[in-house]
Structures are given as structure tokens and as C-alpha cells.
Amino acid sequence: MFRICARTGGLRALHGAAASRGFGTKASAPSRLRNVVWATSVAVLGGLGYVYVTDTRAGVHKYVVTPLIRLMDPEDAHNLSIWCLKHGLGPVDRTDDADVLNIELWGKQMSNPVGLAAGFDKNGEAIDGLFNLGFGAVEVGSITPHEQAGNPRPRLFRVDESRAVINRMGLNNDGAQVCGDRIKSRFWRMLAAQSRRQGETVASLAAGVNRSARGDRLLGVNVSKSKASAPESYSDYVDGLNELGAYADYVVINVSCPNVKNIRAGADVAVLESTIAAVVRARNQMPDYRPPIVLKIGPDNDHDQRRLIAQLAIDYRVDGIIATNTTLSRPHGMDDPNEVALQTGGLSGEPLRKMALETTRDMYRLTKGRIPIIGCGGISTAEDALQFAKAGASMVQIYSSMTYDGPGKVCEIKDGLVDLLKGRKWSDIVGEDARS
């Protein structure tokens, strides 16, 4: 009897266990399906979020990230931006530039005419991160022959109400040898990667590629003088050219930095002439590749001084002029309730725009359109860029506007230009004001 009951109980237990297992199997199928749907949704949303956050056109950069960064000390914020771009943590422009923005400068193709001014990446550390933002050209420097610490901090200030920046950095940089090694290393590393992808030798690629190592972008290198050099000396510019010129799509001679007392070439015509002559002569003696030489001038010259500069540029066959550097003046009407503008240093940003535009227009007319002019100073909208083009700028540069609007500023300007051009090409409107 016991055995019968035990067997009966055992059978019931086995039946209950089997039923339990059967019930569990039926319940696990929808549970697994829910898990798959959940995981897939998270992956898709995460992917879309990543694409959005890493896009230069995403509003989060202008309306969230940049205002948060501006809570930091200006120089610390700048250094953080460089670090992020250097390590591939910056957003990316994933949209091809419109054909109406394509230009040719010094025989080289550019996908768009919006460049980054010198001063942002002083040491050539974040070149590719900056190109990824969508710039047609990136200019690094200023770089001096020897490392310089620059002026004491604080030396960088924001004038928020006027959307301006004041700096008295003092040309702090790692020096020509360190920066040169960094730029050279990047160039050959990029070519080696292209060689593996395309199956061509590095030597054949090097013969025909831009020094930016990008087919439709230019890399400019801005060189200047060490603080210890004599005011009338030009050897620092020549040394900078010799050290860095072979790896630059163009070399900028910075003769107008207002924060270094021994740079007299911007104000002394005799020193300017000897400087231009020496640099052009050194460039012409380079054995193989010879980069275009571009002169960067200040905004405070009067018309007679500009006329002399234009004539020197024509006489010595300078390849381009950047108009302009920062100014020590404080334009009338600046909104500055906190009196930040009382700080000494070069002013950039929107208050500089009128002076820079006037200088651009004047230099284009004085050189009769024979020398490409690069407009720089206070450009923050597509309308500003278009004004500079009509005044004679073959290319424009921005910098300070990114302080206030973030890394998407270059794409904002490019998109706006496409709308404003209405099918016309940028190159067709350059100097339009002078022709009218």
C-alpha cells in the first residue's frame, strides 16, 4: 500500500514538476522577445543619440555645451576645447559642401571658403579635429623659433555683452622644432594611411597632395618672432619658414601681433620691406616645394599705410594678405558694463568687424584684385561672410564667434551662405563691390 501511495505521490510530483516546467517554457518566450525589443530599442536610440551629439549641426553644442564651457576660466575653457579636439572628442561635419562654395586658391582646391584663424590651435595639436568641424582651411600658430611661455595669467578675457574677446597671450607656443615635428609626423602618418587604403606609394601621394593631407582642405602655418629678437630683425620669420614651410599649404608672416612689443614690421615700412624681401627670397630658395607667402596686417593702419603695404605686396609678389589681426583700440559703442574692455590686449570679435571689413575692401582695391585677400575679424554670420566676399575676400576666417556659438559655427555659416548665394558661386561674388 505504501509503495502504491508512494508511486502515486511520485507520479503526481513528477507531473507537477513537468507542468511547472511546461508553464515556464511558455512564459519565457515573450520574456525573451521583450528583452530583445528592449535591447534593440536601446541600441537604436543610443546610436541615434551618438550620431546627433557628434554632429556639428546639433543644437546641443550651441545651447548646452558651449554655455557650460563658458562658465570656466577663458583660458582653461580654451585648453579643454583643444584637448577634446585633439583626442577625437569633437563633433563632425558629415555633410558634403555644396558646389557653390568650392574655390581654388594658389592652384589648390578648397571645398569651402571658411577657415579657422590662427591663435586657436597654437601648437598644431588638433588639426584633424578642427578639419572635422568643416573648415576649408585651418591655420595653426603663431609659432616662434623657440618655445615661449607668453605673458602671465590672466591673459584671456571675454566681453560677453559685445561678443568680443581680449587677449594678451604673448605668443605662447611650443616652438618651431616641436610644432614642426608634430605637423610633419601627422602629414606622413596621414599619407601612410592613404597609401594602405589606395594601394599607392607614400612617395607618389606626397608629390600631389595638399600639405593638409586632405584633397580639398588647406593647412596654414602662422610664424612670428620670439620676444628676445631685435625689433628690426627678420631672421625669426626666415627660420620659421625653413622649419615649417615644407609642410604648409601656405605660410603666414605675422607682422602685426599687438601683444609683442618687438614686432615693428607692421608699423615701420622699412622693417616691413626688409622682412617681406627676406622671407620671399628664402621661400624662392627652397629646393622643392615652395609654399605661398601670406602677410597678416593689423586693422589700425590708415589709408596711406595700407597703400604702402599693398605696393610692397605687389612689388615682392606676396601671395596673399590677411586683413586683419586684432586691435588695441576699443571701437566706440561697445557694450561693456563690467569694464572688461579696460584690460590691455588685442580685441577680436564683433566690434572688430567694421574695421576688418574696411581694411579688406581697401586692400582689394589697392592691389587691384591681383592678390588674394583673406578677410578676418568679427565674422559671425553668413551675412558677414558674404559682405567680406563682396568687399574682396577670397576666403574668410573665424575664431571668436566659436567662443559664443560653439563648434557648429562654421557649418552654420556655410549653410547660410548656400541660401544667400541663391545658386551663384562664391568665387563669382569676390570683389563685387569694387566692380560696381
Side-chain angles (χ1 to χ4, degrees):
M1 182 71 175
F2 255 169
R3 290 178 182 175
I4 294 172
C5 289
R7 287 172 184 168
T8 304
L11 288 170
R12 286 174 181 168
L14 288 170
H15 177 73
S20 174
R21 284 196 299 271
F23 179 79
T25 302
K26 291 177 182 178
S28 65
S31 177
R32 284 199 299 270
L33 180 61
R34 281 195 300 271
N35 289 339
V36 169
V37 171
W38 172 252
T40 302
S41 299
V42 169
V44 170
L45 290 173
L48 291 173
Y50 172 80
V51 170
Y52 172 76
V53 170
T54 57
D55 193 305
T56 52
R57 290 171 171 82
V60 67
H61 301 297
K62 182 175 182 177
Y63 298 110
V64 179
V65 177
T66 300
L68 288 174
I69 290 177
R70 283 212 313 275
L71 296 175
M72 300 173 61
D73 168 81
E75 188 166 348
D76 290 341
H78 177 266
N79 292 338
L80 174 63
S81 299
I82 289 292
W83 187 90
C84 289
L85 290 165
K86 176 181 177 180
H87 290 90
L89 299 178
V92 178
D93 177 13
R94 297 189 176 93
T95 304
D96 291 337
D97 289 328
D99 290 344
V100 295
L101 298 180
N102 298 170
I103 65 170
E104 182 180 305
L105 201 55
W106 306 303
K108 303 181 181 189
Q109 299 299 316
M110 290 175 61
S111 64
N112 74 80
V114 185
L116 176 71
F120 187 88
D121 187 5
K122 294 175 178 293
N123 297 307
E125 298 177 272
I127 294 170
D128 290 302
L130 289 164
F131 274 127
N132 288 341
L133 297 183
F135 286 106
V138 168
E139 188 176 313
V140 300
S142 271
I143 299 171
T144 55
H146 307 290
E147 179 183 3
Q148 292 190 156
N151 294 323
R153 295 180 66 167
R155 52 192 181 179
L156 187 62
F157 311 89
R158 304 186 197 100
V159 190
D160 291 336
E161 294 77 10
S162 292
R163 290 174 57 90
V165 174
I166 293 172
N167 92 82
R168 53 170 180 261
M169 302 296 287
L171 295 180
N172 54 306
N173 70 98
D174 291 340
Q177 183 173 347
V178 171
C179 293
D181 288 344
R182 188 176 291 134
I183 293 168
K184 294 172 194 174
S185 174
R186 172 197 167 271
F187 176 74
W188 293 115
R189 187 172 63 251
M190 294 280 287
L191 287 199
Q194 290 181 31
S195 174
R196 289 192 294 272
R197 288 195 305 268
Q198 301 174 16
E200 297 182 52
T201 65
V202 171
S204 64
L205 287 171
V209 74
N210 290 343
R211 266 35 190 179
S212 67
R214 296 182 179 229
D216 55 0
R217 310 291 168 104
L218 302 187
L219 175 64
V221 176
N222 186 304
V223 298
S224 195
K225 294 178 64 169
S226 297
K227 278 188 172 183
S229 300
E232 66 279 0
S233 170
Y234 51 72
S235 60
D236 282 359
Y237 296 110
V238 173
D239 291 344
L241 171 68
N242 289 333
E243 182 70 37
L244 301 159
Y247 295 90
D249 287 304
Y250 64 96
V251 173
V252 179
I253 308 303
N254 183 5
V255 296
S256 54
C257 177
N259 297 312
V260 182
K261 294 180 179 179
N262 67 334
I263 295 183
R264 286 180 51 194
D268 188 316
V269 173
V271 175
L272 178 61
E273 181 170 11
S274 62
T275 299
I276 294 174
V279 172
V280 171
R281 182 168 59 249
R283 187 277 309 272
N284 292 343
Q285 292 172 351
M286 292 176 71
D288 299 310
Y289 174 72
R290 297 174 179 177
I293 300 298
V294 179
L295 191 67
K296 186 164 187 174
I297 65 173
D300 301 305
N301 299 302
D302 61 28
H303 181 76
D304 288 338
Q305 289 172 317
R306 292 173 194 162
R307 182 175 53 79
L308 289 170
I309 293 170
Q311 193 57 54
L312 288 174
I314 292 171
D315 291 345
Y316 288 95
R317 297 185 179 181
V318 169
D319 300 289
I321 297 172
I322 297 179
T324 66
N325 214 319
T326 59
T327 178
L328 289 176
S329 69
R330 300 294 181 260
H332 179 70
M334 280 185 63
D335 187 7
D336 182 29
N338 298 316
E339 298 186 336
V340 179
L342 295 178
Q343 294 286 345
T344 58
L347 174 76
S348 61
E350 291 188 5
L352 179 61
R353 181 170 56 241
K354 183 178 178 181
M355 300 172 70
L357 182 61
E358 180 186 342
T359 304
T360 297
R361 182 177 290 112
D362 224 10
M363 296 308 295
Y364 181 82
R365 286 174 173 163
L366 289 167
T367 58
K368 300 178 176 60
R370 293 159 56 184
I371 297 176
I373 309 296
I374 299 173
C376 179
I379 297 169
S380 61
T381 67
E383 289 79 6
D384 295 339
L386 196 68
Q387 269 193 309
F388 273 78
K390 290 181 177 180
S394 297
M395 182 176 93
V396 295
Q397 292 180 328
I398 65 171
Y399 175 0
S400 298
S401 58
M402 291 202 303
T403 301
Y404 294 98
D405 295 328
K409 175 53 69 175
V410 58
C411 287
E412 180 185 313
I413 290 175
K414 291 192 299 182
D415 293 345
L417 281 172
V418 173
D419 293 337
L420 292 172
L421 286 169
K422 297 178 180 177
R424 300 180 68 191
K425 293 184 177 181
W426 169 276
S427 54
D428 293 337
I429 67 166
V430 173
E432 189 173 79
D433 288 351
R435 297 192 297 270
S436 61

